[in-house]
Structures are given as structure tokens and as C-alpha cells.
Amino acid sequence: MSGLIGPVTKALALSGTLAAGSLAVAHAAPALSALNAVRPWLTPELCGFGDPDHVALTFDDGPDPASTPAFLRELDRAGVRATFFLLGRMLVRAPGLGRELVAAGHEIAVHGYEHRCLLARTPGAVRDDIARARDVIAELTGSQPCWYRPPYGVLTAGALAAARELELTPMLWSTWGRDWTATASPDSVYRTVTRRLTGGGTVLLHDTDCTAAPGSWRSTLGALPRLIDACQTRGLRLGPLREHRTATAITAPAGTA
């Protein structure tokens, strides 16, 4: 029997490693949905595909007193409402701005409390972060959020389970502006968004540079009037996610590959 101890110990260690690896894969597998090239076909329900005559306009990372008010003024000028995915820590710093978003008719949603990649966090920490953000947003804005978008668009199994428990619907996007980079310009943001923009799509932009290159929000703001005009010229309604989704509208529109 003593001669078996070494091989058995090695076998147990190997099985434990394999089990841990399997758990890691299961935990991280939903993160594949962050890849724009595969998301429309792998998880179309996360792309925000909705009614074909509507485009959902969404902003991440705010509210930020240094930049969000400028977006509010531009959206008000155009008569457009949007969905703002708020960070709990940003809202705590500017609760009045969160209430202003709601008062202006915009929809608020959950982007987490801290802007940290979920792959580096335990399921328990992820659940606590999402719950904390949801509760802070509901308390400080007076509006109960129903959507959740993870930082960097990277979902995990724990995040999906937490969202289900907290009655939040995970939502990513079908097109973005890459507006967080130091090289972004109003023209590059506009061109990048419209390259994949279709009726029924969801646009991801940022109303702050709190997790991006300093001043990058100015490129987003500069592109916004042109983007609004482009949608209206094409006969597309532009608005928040609450006006966008239908029970059956989760199929990727043609041309989103």
C-alpha cells in the first residue's frame, strides 16, 4: 500500500488541478461575449438588438460633473433621451447629477460600483459590487435600474448569476465609438460607430474620461450631433433601451458581422 501513496497523491493533485481549471473556464467563458466579432452570433441577446426602426443610445462610466452636463445639454437640444450606465462610486460623488439625469427623462442603469475587470474578482466580490451599485443608484436617483453592463463588457458566470438574482438584465452593445482612446477625434468616433450601425442596434459611448484618456469625452461630444443627424436622416428613432427592446428582437440584423 505504501508504494501507492506517491501515485495516488499525484493523481489527486492532477484531478484537483483539472477541476480548478474547469471551474476557471466556466467562470471566464461568458467573457467571450466581449469580443465584437463573435458576440452577434454567439450571444445576440447581449448585443442590444431591438426594434429595427430604433437605435438605443447608451453612455458608460458617469455621472461626471466635468462632462456629463455637456451631454445633457446636447441631448436636450436634439430632443433625444439615452440610457446612462452609472458607476456607483461616481454617483456617490455627484448624486444631484444622477437625479438630474432622471428628471431630464433619461434612463439609468448599472455599470458596477468600481470599474474593475470581473475576471480578476471572485463571484462573491462581483455580486457585492453589482448589488452595491444597484442599491446606491436606486437610493440616490429614486429610479430602480433594470439593466447591467459590466466594466469593459467582460461578463463572468458569477456576474450572470448575480444579475439574475438582483433582477438586472445584462446588456452590452452592437457598435461602439472607441471613444476612450487618446487618439480619438469627433470624426473617428462618428466613423467607428456608423461602420456597424444598423436599425435595431445599441451604441456604446462614454460621457466621461474617468476611466479613459484625459479629455477623450470631448471627441464623443463632438461626434454626437452628427450621429444624431445620421440616425434621423436614415429614419431611425434614437432613444434609451427601455424604448428599444421587444421580446422577439434579439436576432442580429444583416451586416453586423
Side-chain angles (χ1 to χ4, degrees):
M1 290 291 292
S2 60
L4 293 176
I5 293 177
V8 169
T9 300
K10 290 180 180 180
L12 289 173
L14 176 60
S15 65
T17 300
L18 291 174
S22 298
L23 289 174
V25 169
H27 170 70
L32 289 172
S33 62
L35 301 175
N36 286 346
V38 302
R39 184 167 59 251
W41 317 115
L42 185 66
T43 55
E45 68 279 5
L46 291 175
C47 289
F49 294 129
D51 294 334
D53 66 341
H54 189 270
V55 170
L57 180 61
T58 71
F59 296 91
D60 282 9
D61 293 357
D64 187 340
S67 53
T68 302
F71 286 85
L72 287 176
R73 289 191 293 270
E74 183 58 40
L75 291 170
D76 184 63
R77 183 198 65 78
V80 171
R81 302 295 175 262
T83 299
F84 287 79
F85 283 84
L86 307 183
L87 286 174
R89 66 174 177 83
M90 294 294 287
L91 179 61
V92 167
R93 297 174 184 176
L97 188 51
R99 290 189 289 270
E100 186 177 343
L101 284 168
V102 174
H106 300 288
E107 182 180 35
I108 48 88
V110 177
H111 196 36
Y113 195 89
E114 300 287 349
H115 198 279
R116 293 175 55 192
C117 182
L118 303 188
L119 288 175
R121 311 188 75 181
T122 66
V126 168
R127 194 265 179 207
D128 291 345
D129 181 88
I130 299 172
R132 185 182 183 191
R134 182 201 63 171
D135 294 347
V136 162
I137 290 170
E139 178 183 355
L140 296 184
T141 69
S143 181
Q144 186 70 40
C146 66
W147 306 104
Y148 170 64
R149 177 178 290 160
Y152 308 105
V154 176
L155 282 163
T156 62
L160 291 173
R164 188 180 307 112
E165 176 193 344
L166 298 169
E167 299 183 339
L168 296 170
T169 300
M171 186 55 57
L172 300 184
W173 59 86
S174 61
T175 187
W176 61 9
R178 293 190 63 85
D179 56 344
W180 61 88
T181 66
T183 57
S185 67
D187 187 58
S188 75
V189 172
Y190 172 78
R191 286 187 286 102
T192 304
V193 169
T194 54
R195 188 176 300 132
R196 290 177 176 267
L197 181 64
T198 62
T202 291
V203 175
L204 163 64
L205 295 171
H206 297 80
D207 60 306
T208 173
D209 60 5
C210 72
T211 65
S216 56
W217 64 267
R218 298 183 186 278
S219 295
T220 310
L221 184 65
L224 191 55
R226 191 175 168 193
L227 175 60
I228 293 172
D229 289 345
C231 288
Q232 294 174 342
T233 298
R234 292 166 60 177
L236 298 172
R237 297 178 296 114
L238 196 61
L241 281 165
R242 66 178 175 230
E243 299 174 0
H244 184 59
R245 298 295 303 276
T246 65
T248 58
I250 60 171
T251 301
T256 56

